[in-house]
Amino acid sequence: MQSSGGSHGMDTADELLELSLGYLYSAALHTAARFRIADRLAEGPRSAGELAEDAGLSGPHLHRILRFLATRGVFREDGEGRFHLTPIADLLRTDSEQSLRDYVLVRGEPVFWQSAAQLHEAVRTGTTAFENVYGMPFYDHLAADPDLGRAFNSSMAAFSEALSNGVVEALDLSGCRTAVDVGGGRGGLLRAVLRHNPHMTGVLLDLESVVAGHVLDVPEVAGRWSVEGGDFFVSVPSGADVYFLKHVLASWPDDACVRILRTCRAAMPANGRLMVVNALIPEDNEPHAGKTGDVLMMTVLNGRGRTAAEYRTLLTTAGFAVTRVLDTSSHASVVEAVVAG
């Protein structure tokens, strides 16, 4: 059968068809995470039948899922039909130091799938897909479903652990004594700050239900932290040397971001520093985590990804002056700012 793709041929058509079925990779990955397949391979390669018997699953079905994931480097099948862990699959282990199992698991829940299915409606109307489906903002839904809320917060903590270390290692905080992690979730970033800077103390600020699950109670930072339940639209702890906004502003539209920034500015001393940590979207056609996250924001939250120039505009509007931009990773660059004179 002759391709209708002209000079592009079937390779291009196959690529398009594969893209159109990308959701199957998400579903397969979620399935592997749900049934802890990576954990079951921790002691060595096993056949799909052995894994299925251990997990109470259908062997033939599991084999097809794992064979499919192996085409993307998630697991590897050998010539004897046994599956092995790969560097990607290793991140699905619950005991991995940089485990992303919780993140993958939660992103396979209906709140994400059903919202993504209505992305076309969000684009047509300029609204948020999640709110069109569920009739309320995403974070209100999490508050109404404590189990999902806990799972989501855990997934974000898993995602941010490695990023936090990279951010802190790139910053010179030797002249800072106090830090405030604004909207800091469970406190992974603040924990990394205090671990790397034993001369510092810090405060974690987020909603009461979120900070209740904080991860700061570890020996390395004992006695150097406190937590506050609060609303960063209303107030944040005052007088600190450095303030962090990590993966906060991308969750909100421009006007809300300016409100958050102005709340921080009102609390900061004249010599204070602000660190806005988010993916920065490059102005090119290459794949980038910031571009993926931007579409996720459009789907679930009323936020957006931004370029460095767009963050600079937000900060200037809120009364800050940008001093530098550090590209630490595709998921977490740092825009550093000070109170404008």
Side-chain angles (χ1 to χ4, degrees):
M1 181 176 182
Q2 186 173 357
S3 167
S4 61
S7 61
H8 294 297
M10 280 307 296
D11 287 347
T12 305
D14 286 345
E15 185 176 355
L16 177 61
L17 293 174
E18 196 77 358
L19 284 170
S20 74
L21 296 172
Y23 61 90
L24 294 177
Y25 291 105
S26 298
L29 199 59
H30 175 81
T31 299
R34 178 175 290 276
F35 295 119
R36 300 178 184 271
I37 300 303
D39 285 349
R40 301 179 195 279
L41 289 172
E43 296 183 3
R46 303 172 71 183
S47 70
E50 292 170 332
L51 291 166
E53 183 176 0
D54 189 24
L57 309 174
S58 163
H61 280 68
L62 181 60
H63 180 267
R64 291 157 66 184
I65 289 292
L66 297 182
R67 178 177 62 189
F68 179 57
L69 287 173
T71 67
R72 291 295 183 269
V74 186
F75 308 111
R76 177 179 66 83
E77 185 177 14
D78 64 25
E80 299 178 358
R82 298 176 304 173
F83 286 92
H84 300 241
L85 286 173
T86 62
I88 297 176
D90 202 57
L91 296 176
L92 292 175
R93 290 175 54 179
T94 55
D95 61 350
S96 171
E97 186 175 342
Q98 298 180 2
S99 177
L100 291 172
R101 177 184 177 268
D102 286 351
Y103 185 92
V104 170
L105 197 62
V106 170
R107 294 322 178 274
E109 292 295 325
V111 290
F112 288 94
W113 283 96
Q114 292 174 1
S115 299
Q118 293 301 312
L119 182 58
H120 64 281
E121 184 66 12
V123 172
R124 186 183 71 82
T125 60
T127 55
T128 303
F130 182 91
E131 294 182 23
N132 293 337
V133 175
Y134 288 89
M136 67 177 70
F138 179 71
Y139 287 119
D140 289 355
H141 182 81
L142 292 185
D145 186 341
D147 289 340
L148 178 61
R150 282 189 291 271
F152 177 78
N153 291 333
S154 178
S155 77
M156 291 305 297
F159 169 65
S160 68
E161 181 72 20
L163 300 181
S164 295
N165 289 329
V167 167
V168 173
E169 288 168 3
L171 297 175
D172 178 7
L173 300 177
S174 58
C176 299
R177 307 298 299 181
T178 54
V180 177
D181 192 359
V182 180
R186 293 169 60 182
L189 175 60
L190 182 58
R191 183 176 62 184
V193 167
L194 299 182
R195 276 176 168 168
H196 284 77
N197 298 277
H199 64 284
M200 293 183 66
T201 61
V203 181
L204 171 66
L205 174 84
D206 212 314
L207 298 175
E208 288 278 5
S209 59
V210 176
V211 297
H214 72 81
V215 295
L216 295 170
D217 195 10
V218 294
E220 307 98 299
V221 301
R224 294 190 287 124
W225 57 268
S226 62
V227 299
E228 289 190 21
D231 182 347
F232 51 47
F233 286 110
V234 178
S235 67
V236 301
S238 63
D241 297 317
V242 60
Y243 288 74
F244 289 92
L245 281 169
K246 178 173 175 287
H247 291 154
V248 172
L249 298 186
S251 300
W252 300 93
D254 288 357
D255 58 343
C257 288
V258 171
R259 289 174 57 201
I260 296 168
L261 290 169
R262 284 176 173 161
T263 303
C264 292
R265 186 182 184 280
M268 291 171 60
N271 61 345
R273 298 160 65 189
L274 175 69
M275 308 292 181
V276 174
V277 183
N278 266 117
L280 296 181
I281 297 179
E283 298 183 32
D284 58 30
N285 294 315
E286 297 304 310
H288 191 274
K291 298 174 184 179
T292 305
D294 181 43
V295 176
L296 179 62
M297 293 300 101
M298 189 193 313
T299 304
V300 180
L301 294 165
N302 188 21
R304 53 174 297 193
R306 296 177 176 88
T307 64
E310 288 170 328
Y311 275 115
R312 187 182 296 272
T313 297
L314 285 180
L315 286 157
T316 300
T317 302
F320 287 93
V322 174
T323 53
R324 62 174 176 162
V325 176
L326 297 173
D327 292 320
T328 59
S329 77
S330 61
H331 289 279
S333 293
V334 182
V335 180
E336 182 176 340
V338 295
V339 175

